[in-house]
Amino acid sequence: MEVTEITNWAVDLIRVHKRYGKIHALRGVNVQVRAGEIFGLLGPNGAGKTTLVKIMMTVVRPDEAHGTVLGRRLGHPKKLARVGYLPENHRFPPYLTGLQVLDYFAALAKVPRRVRRQRAPELLDRMGMADWGNTRVSKYSKGMLQRLGMAQALMNDPDLLVLDEPTDGLDPIGRRDVRLLLQELRSRGKTVFLNSHLLSELEMVCDRVAILVGGYIARQGTLSELTEHTVEYHVVAEGDLADLDAQIAELQARRDRSCVIVTGHDTRRVNEVIDLLRRNGRMIESVRPHRFSLEDVLMEVIGGGEGEPVPIARRLDAPR
Amino acid sequence: MQTWALIKDSFREAIDRKLFWVMLAISALIALSMAASGFDDRGMSILFGYMRWNSPDLAVTSPIHKQAVATILGHFIADHFLGWVGIGLAIIATAGTFPSLMERGTIEVIVSKPMRRWHLFLGKYLGGMVFVLVQASIFVLITFLVAGTRWKVWLWSYFWLIPLFVVLFSYLFCFTALFGVLTRSPLASLALTFVAWFLIWAPQATYGLLQAFPPRPEFNPVVRFTEAACSILPKTGDISFVAIKLTGARLPGDLLWRSDSQTEHDEFVENARQVDEESAEFSITRSIGSSLAFEAVIVLLAGWRFCRRDF
């Protein structure tokens, strides 16, 4: 690993490669996360998401990786002190109490004792576990362990928070709490790197997302950037439109019962469809733009077999 | 701060295991059984005074009394209890140190902290040693107090057993660490450490036999191989020798021999003199130094593997 450039990206990973024997888990991944944003990493199982997160956190050694985290090379010890991390399926020593867990891991993160003593009960309280601090974690439920894990990741007041499936095991209220917490952190200028398979969660909180498929970043950008080219317009008219199928097809649209669907951000074609329907005496009931969800985009990427690396040239818009 | 946190965690983990309390209970039991016997100006008693023998040979005023107590403490307690039972229990108690550190879900959090993996590995290694240091200290302290109050001998050199026990434990703990890192299994780590212990002990035992019964010349390659193995491997067997030397203990028979046969007595005294001569030639520094060098190699190997592996 080497320092390739110093940027204001909170995370700037370039050409990350990792092989596990014959399996090429990451094939030159490039990911950029702006400081102060919530960034979501998504992809199907086995896409390499957790491996990428683990490489960021020095848990896994890459075969090749360039770039920076918080402006310093990957794994720089001083910068790791500014990162909070919650791994997927984390386990805490069962012989420790909640407060002891927070104290132990914060001590490893070089948080001074005075700060630890003050912050641990505060964070437990923030996570709704104020009464559980002196109970052994072996008696915690999965949701409580997840909340404790979040508190653990926040003990060093990190500039960058890396969360791998943070809402796993949480009930709807817990998920909402996590969402609110992430939004609060963003408002305080913290950067959040979120790895989750819950697309609706990502959609609700993320500023930008990357889709990792087959070891490549297939798409990366803001939610609107990813979904705008996949917008549809639904033109609904009265009656059966079967007799107009040929003319609808000529306009590169398709029919679904009494609805004509125009794919793409092409208002001219939408107007042509409306003209066609009105010329044939059909009453227009509604015209609705339909933006694709993140799930639709993901399905499109997976279904389309996309998996080519996002060119590094796309990084030219890096904030300085 | 980080090292202290690791040591504290290792200790908490060890205390959480029942074996910690079992070891304490065994220590207390031994101290209690020692306390059941007592010496005074007239002789000795057992079962807390239920039975007693009045004899000048057994009284605290006897010229061999202090030596006899030193022998019981330095030879029987150090060699038989600490050297075998204590070490065995300590290995069982600490076998899970590295596998539990490397448990999935735990290790990811720990290695993502701002500390070098070498630091983490050595901190945890130190934690295992501190656990044994505490156990040994408790055992030695309570038996020292019993010997002082009930047997009327305050044998300060007895405290040498604490570092000696820790050193002996460390000869084997390096294997526990290595196998723990390689297998991530407490059970495999434990079993392989006992195998390693046997493989270390076997050449020493063979060497002792070869010294006692010199073989025919055609077995010279075996002798040379055994000598080479003994010089490289940790000298676990030397520890009892070191303990006897440092505590001022003597071989028990030398002190307690009571025979009507003058010839037998003379032979025994001659044997004891030979042992004393060998003891005088024995170098503690060489024995412990070469053993620690071997331990360092194993620790480096285990640490290197720990630092290089993915989790």
Side-chain angles (χ1 to χ4, degrees), chain A residues 149-302:
Chain A
M150 283 292 291
Q152 176 275 136
L154 292 167
M155 273 296 284
N156 57 339
D157 189 23
D159 294 327
L160 169 65
L161 188 62
V162 180
L163 306 173
D164 200 347
E165 305 291 358
T167 54
D168 196 21
L170 291 180
D171 57 19
I173 296 168
R175 289 180 183 188
R176 191 204 57 190
D177 288 347
V178 169
R179 262 201 320 275
L180 293 175
L181 178 65
L182 297 185
Q183 285 162 350
E184 180 194 317
L185 289 170
R186 175 173 53 192
S187 69
R188 286 166 47 198
K190 310 288 187 186
T191 308
V192 180
F193 189 104
L194 197 56
N195 180 18
S196 175
H197 65 271
L198 293 175
L199 303 181
S200 55
E201 298 280 338
L202 292 175
E203 251 175 334
M204 276 188 264
V205 293
C206 288
D207 300 302
R208 294 171 66 246
V209 295
I211 300 174
L212 187 62
V213 180
Y216 290 116
I217 295 290
R219 304 241 181 118
Q220 185 171 184
T222 62
L223 285 174
S224 59
E225 280 170 0
L226 290 185
T227 54
E228 71 180 358
H229 75 287
T230 48
V231 74
E232 282 181 351
Y233 286 91
H234 291 195
V235 182
V236 181
E238 273 184 0
D240 187 12
L241 305 177
D243 57 316
L244 299 174
D245 275 354
Q247 295 169 74
I248 290 171
E250 275 177 24
L251 293 172
Q252 293 175 332
R254 68 182 193 279
R255 182 184 64 84
D256 181 11
R257 281 173 289 185
S258 59
C259 176
V260 180
I261 301 165
V262 180
T263 304
H265 199 73
D266 191 347
T267 49
R268 186 184 57 79
R269 270 195 304 133
V270 174
N271 279 293
E272 285 173 359
V273 168
I274 293 169
D275 291 344
L276 171 70
L277 296 174
R278 289 179 65 83
R279 262 201 318 272
N280 289 280
R282 304 303 205 277
M283 290 291 288
I284 306 295
E285 286 188 349
S286 66
V287 178
R288 285 184 286 110
H290 175 75
R291 190 175 290 276
F292 274 27
S293 68
L294 207 47
E295 184 179 344
D296 296 326
V297 176
L298 179 65
M299 289 304 165
E300 185 185 84
V301 169
I302 296 169

Side-chain angles (χ1 to χ4, degrees), chain A residues 18 20 50-51 53-55 57-61 85 87, chain B residues 98-99 101-112 117 120-121 180-182 184 302-311:
Chain A
K18 179 65 186 176
Y20 293 108
T50 295
T51 298
V53 168
K54 284 185 172 181
I55 285 173
M57 300 311 303
T58 71
V59 178
V60 165
R61 300 165 63 86
Y85 175 45
Chain B
F98 282 92
L101 170 75
M102 295 162 69
E103 254 185 89
R104 290 189 199 288
T106 305
I107 188 67
E108 288 93 331
V109 184
I110 294 177
V111 297
S112 68
R117 285 199 186 182
L120 172 59
F121 175 81
V181 167
L182 291 178
R184 295 172 86 160
W304 176 81
R305 187 71 194 96
F306 180 79
C307 294
R308 298 292 300 178
R309 75 175 298 165
D310 291 337
F311 295 106

